[in-house]
Amino acid sequence: MSRPVLRIRTDRFLANIAAVRERIAPSELMIVVKDQAYGHGLEWAVTSAVQAGVTSFGCYDVRSGVEIRRHLDDTEQEPVRIFAWATSTDEEIDQALEHAIDLGVGSAEYLGRVLARAKERGIAARIHLKIDTGLHRNGLLPEEWADTIVRVRASEAAGHVSLVGIWSHLAEASDAEDDEAREVFLAAIRTAEQAGPTPAALHLTASAASWWRPELRGTVSRIGAFCYGIRSADGPDLDGILPVAELTATVVEIVGGEAVIGIGSFDGLPSTLAGASVGTPAGGRELRRIAPNTAVVAGWDGMALGDEVRVFGAGETGESSATTLAERIDTVGEEILTRLTPFVRRLIVD
Ligand SMILES: *Cc1c(COP(=O)(O)O)cnc(C)c1O
C-alpha cells in the first residue's frame, strides 16, 4: 500500500514570506518555526527562509534553537537571530549562551538563573523581557516591571546581559483587549527607556494582528501560520497567501462505487472530519468515513486504483484547506498539520 504524501511547496512558502514582509514593513519578520515548522519540517523551513533573506527565527525551546543554528551553519548568511521563548533549564541556558540564542524571559526566577549562568560562563546573555499584557501566560507583571528593569540594567553594566528585546503575546479575543495590551506594552518600553537604550526588538503581534492591526506592530512581528499559508480559523483568505502543504493519498481499493484511500486516523487524519470535501481527478467529492488506516471517498466516473486524492491543499481540485477542515471540528489548521504522523511521507517540491 502506498504511503500518503505531504507535498511541501517551497515556491509558495517563499511567496507567502514575500507577501507577509511586504504587508508588515517596516516591521521585521521573525518567522516562527515551532513544532517542526508547523509540521512542515524544520530544516526545510530554515534553509528556505534564509534563502529568502529572513534573518530572524522564533522557536519555543532552546533545543530547537540549537537545531536551527546547526542548519544555518551550512549556509553563508548575515548574522541570524534565533529567539527561544520557553522557560529553560540551566543546562539549556548554557546551550543558548554557547550558540548565541536569544532568550525570552518572563519571570524574576528565570531572570535570576539566566544572569547567574551568564556570569558563571562569562558570556553576556541576550534577552527579550516579556511583560504580561493580560494573557497571564508567563510574563512579568506590570508591578514588578520597574524593579526588573533596574536589575537588568545593572547586570548590563556589569556585562552579563544585553536587553535586546521587549515582547508580549496578544489574546486576540477582542480589538479592545488588544488595544489595552498595547498600552501596557508601550508603558513597559517607556520604563526600560528611562534607564538605557531602547531595545531593538519590540514585538507583540503574531499572524492575524500583524496582518490586520498595523498600529499594534512593533519593530518585529512574530509570524508562523500565514507564512505556511494557514489562514486563521473563521478568518478570510488572504491576498498572496496560499497553503504550502498539500496532503494526498492514493486509491487503494474500489468497493461498491466508493474509493478507499490509503490514509486513516492512525496517520493523523481525525476521524471526525467525515463529511468534508476532498479533491479527486473529477473534482470535489465527499470524504465519507475515516477508519484507522484508510478512508472512504464518494466515487466518480472513471475512478481507478492509484488515482490521487487531495485531502487538503489550496482548493484547486475541490478539496478543503487545512483550516476549513479544522473548522469542522472546532480547531485550527495548525492542528491538522502537526498531527500527521511520520508515516505520511514529506516530499519537498521546489
Ligand atoms: C505560535 C506563536 C506565534 C506565531 O503565531 P501565528 O499565529 O502562527 O503567527 C508567535 N508568538 C508566540 C509566542 C507563539 O507561541
Side-chain angles (χ1 to χ4, degrees):
M1 192 165 103
S2 70
R3 285 166 61 183
V5 172
L6 189 70
R7 202 170 278 119
I8 312 275
R9 293 194 39 179
T10 309
D11 58 341
R12 290 212 182 140
F13 186 51
L14 299 180
N16 291 345
I17 288 174
V20 163
R21 288 171 102 188
E22 190 181 322
R23 178 94 181 182
I24 66 171
S27 183
E28 187 201 342
L29 170 65
M30 176 195 288
I31 190 164
V32 175
V33 292
K34 66 188 181 194
D35 298 310
Q36 288 294 309
Y38 295 51
H40 293 69
L42 186 61
E43 180 171 7
W44 162 83
V46 169
T47 50
S48 305
V50 158
Q51 217 184 81
V54 173
T55 56
S56 178
F57 290 86
C59 61
Y60 183 72
D61 57 319
V62 168
R63 199 166 61 109
S64 304
V66 172
E67 211 180 317
I68 294 169
R69 188 62 82 201
R70 208 178 56 236
H71 297 316
L72 288 170
D73 283 346
D74 305 330
T75 63
E76 278 177 51
Q77 280 296 329
E78 304 284 305
V80 171
R81 304 270 42 124
I82 301 168
F83 172 61
W85 62 76
T87 299
S88 310
T89 64
D90 285 2
E91 218 169 48
E92 290 168 324
I93 295 169
D94 283 349
Q95 287 180 3
L97 293 171
E98 213 165 288
H99 296 279
I101 291 163
D102 295 7
L103 295 170
V105 176
S107 76
E109 184 274 336
Y110 184 38
L111 177 62
R113 288 195 291 113
V114 170
L115 296 179
R117 294 313 306 154
K119 188 173 173 184
E120 161 117 12
R121 299 293 298 264
I123 304 172
R126 296 174 47 94
I127 64 168
H128 301 226
L129 273 188
K130 185 177 187 187
I131 176 84
D132 180 0
T133 51
L135 196 58
H136 308 306
R137 199 175 76 189
N138 181 347
L140 291 146
L141 299 171
E143 52 268 32
E144 58 183 337
W145 185 258
D147 286 349
T148 306
I149 290 294
V150 169
R151 190 174 171 202
V152 167
R153 292 301 190 194
S155 296
E156 238 176 3
H160 303 321
V161 74
S162 181
L163 179 62
V164 295
I166 293 176
W167 70 294
S168 189
H169 198 51
L170 291 172
E172 289 187 356
S174 74
D175 281 1
E177 269 177 74
D178 291 348
D179 289 338
E180 276 173 44
R182 175 176 184 249
E183 290 311 314
V184 177
F185 181 62
L186 293 177
I189 294 168
R190 282 194 298 273
T191 303
E193 284 171 332
Q194 279 159 17
T198 308
L202 308 172
H203 44 113
L204 182 62
T205 55
S207 285
S210 297
W211 191 271
W212 299 112
R213 310 266 341 253
E215 65 281 12
L216 300 185
R217 282 178 212 137
T219 58
V220 170
S221 301
R222 297 184 310 272
I223 299 184
F226 289 4
C227 291
Y228 305 99
I230 305 166
R231 71 171 166 83
S232 306
D234 302 318
D237 287 329
L238 303 165
D239 278 346
I241 302 285
L242 280 174
V244 168
E246 301 167 339
L247 178 64
T248 61
T250 53
V251 175
V252 294
E253 215 184 336
I254 293 172
V255 188
E258 295 178 320
V260 179
I261 57 172
I263 186 168
S265 59
F266 286 8
D267 309 316
L269 190 67
S271 54
T272 43
L273 288 178
S277 180
V278 294
T280 76
R285 290 291 184 280
E286 187 190 9
L287 178 62
R288 291 195 167 148
R289 294 181 298 284
I290 299 164
N293 304 112
T294 55
V296 175
V297 177
W300 58 94
D301 279 348
M303 64 182 160
L305 294 181
D307 277 359
E308 199 171 78
V309 170
R310 219 189 288 203
V311 180
F312 63 72
E316 288 164 340
T317 58
E319 77 280 12
S320 310
S321 73
T323 301
T324 304
L325 289 181
E327 284 164 348
R328 296 185 71 89
I329 55 171
D330 278 332
T331 182
V332 292
E334 290 87 327
E335 186 173 333
I336 302 292
L337 280 153
T338 55
R339 268 186 195 223
L340 297 173
T341 69
F343 181 68
V344 177
R345 200 157 62 85
R346 267 68 174 174
L347 184 69
I348 293 166
V349 186
D350 293 339

